[in-house]
Amino acid sequence: MRNPPALRPAAGLLLAVSLLTACAERGGAGAAPPGPSSATPTGSADVALPAGEDTLVVQVADVGGFTTPEMLAGRLPIVSVYAAGRVITQGPVPEMYPGPAWPNVQVQEVDEATVQQLAERALDAGIAETTDLGSPPLADATSTRFTLHTADRTVQREVYALRETAGVGGLPGEPGAGGLTEQQEEARAQLQDLLDELTDLSQTLYGEGQPPESYRPEAVAALAGPWTEPGDDLTHPEVPWPGPALPGEPVAPGVTCVTATGDQAQDVADAARDATTLTPWVGADGARWSITFRPLLPHESGCADLTD
């Protein structure tokens, strides 16, 4: 039997609070949006957004870390912001055993001015900088990857163990916290502030955002491996596999992948919503598979997009 569900925050909550609101909280009502600090580059107001409504503009994602190959390949970005204003995030996940097979991915709409401000904010936070961010003495932590696409360039910055070291030893930016220098702490603090702004729970953004809805992908990747009995004394009913023939193409050690599109993608999603992470999926040949579902984002087209 499943335990009663209790919601816990996912790694990426909904995209959130207006930068104007954040500024008002720091500098009083009606204050102007915060400009770049002395440690960040200037001139970000000239950022030109890329063309195409499904073009990715800002994304933050976890990469690396100590986990299984299928979890590495199937991991969803924390937040993805698109040129036309779609913002896709991870929603709350029921805390139960076994967990739900289908991830809670949510989408909301913002206007182009908001996308523009987020792109500028990313540059002001130092996403295009190359200063040393340090390497805290922690094993097997994830790195946080910030990506910005503009009309004329793509910039990317990775920070090892960003959230694990945020505020270590006291306030963010305290010299020596987590084995980092004062300059490294300051640069990390600015990126952490950006991440907090992008993932702060809110129903609206800049007063113009719409409440989030469940994301309905046009394609779904299924990461497959042989199903093994979990040994938990629970019954795990078999479910006929409604997607493309398994096992598919190798994407990681012991993990293969297939992509369902069109009506088949909807069939896969519908079946997964009623399944758990331990459901045995039975192929046409009778083989049983364990499946990790990864809804593809608007700029993704298949399994190849899931590997670095």
Side-chain angles (χ1 to χ4, degrees):
M1 296 180 63
R2 299 181 180 180
N3 295 329
L7 294 183
R8 62 175 172 81
L13 298 172
L14 302 178
L15 181 80
V17 169
S18 161
L19 298 181
L20 300 179
T21 300
C23 176
E25 291 174 350
R26 296 170 187 164
S37 72
S38 59
T40 57
T42 59
S44 61
D46 295 327
V47 174
L49 298 181
E53 63 178 23
D54 288 339
T55 302
L56 187 66
V57 178
V58 179
Q59 186 175 77
V60 184
D62 285 327
V63 295
F66 183 72
T67 187
T68 63
E70 60 268 25
M71 292 302 294
L72 283 173
R75 181 185 281 162
L76 280 156
I78 299 169
V79 58
S80 302
V81 183
Y82 291 87
R86 273 197 292 183
V87 179
I88 299 176
T89 58
Q90 300 176 36
V93 179
E95 193 170 83
M96 60 192 202
Y97 178 85
W102 187 250
N104 182 12
V105 186
Q106 299 185 337
V107 60
Q108 65 185 120
E109 300 284 341
V110 299
D111 59 23
E112 185 176 344
T114 295
V115 179
Q116 178 78 34
Q117 287 182 298
L118 290 175
E120 294 166 4
R121 176 68 183 94
L123 284 178
D124 288 343
I127 193 174
E129 293 293 289
T130 58
T131 53
D132 181 27
L133 294 170
S135 183
L138 298 174
D140 302 324
T142 60
S143 292
T144 303
R145 177 184 291 168
F146 296 83
T147 303
L148 171 66
H149 298 280
T150 70
D152 54 8
R153 63 171 175 164
T154 294
V155 294
Q156 196 170 81
R157 199 168 201 200
E158 287 189 17
V159 194
Y160 180 69
L162 176 63
R163 283 168 290 183
E164 289 86 346
T165 57
V168 172
L171 297 175
E174 179 179 342
L180 303 169
T181 67
E182 182 176 4
Q183 291 75 21
Q184 291 166 348
E185 285 282 0
E186 182 178 354
R188 282 169 165 262
Q190 295 207 40
L191 291 169
Q192 181 65 53
D193 286 345
L194 173 63
L195 178 58
D196 290 343
E197 289 166 8
L198 289 170
T199 58
D200 192 8
L201 182 64
S202 175
Q203 293 298 311
T204 60
L205 186 67
Y206 294 95
E208 300 294 336
Q210 298 298 316
E213 301 176 348
S214 294
Y215 174 62
R216 297 177 67 86
E218 295 183 2
V220 178
L223 300 156
W227 188 85
T228 56
E229 176 62 52
D232 53 11
D233 297 326
L234 298 178
T235 300
H236 303 283
E238 296 181 346
V239 177
W241 173 242
L246 296 172
E249 296 296 322
V251 293
V255 182
T256 58
C257 182
V258 295
T259 302
T261 59
D263 291 341
Q264 195 173 56
Q266 187 60 54
D267 291 342
V268 167
D270 289 343
R273 288 187 181 98
D274 293 328
T276 76
T277 54
L278 296 181
T279 293
W281 297 89
V282 183
D285 60 357
R288 295 190 297 177
W289 300 93
S290 175
I291 303 291
T292 297
F293 295 91
R294 171 59 156 80
L296 294 182
L297 302 182
H299 69 291
E300 299 172 332
S301 60
C303 296
D305 293 309
L306 305 185
T307 58
D308 292 332

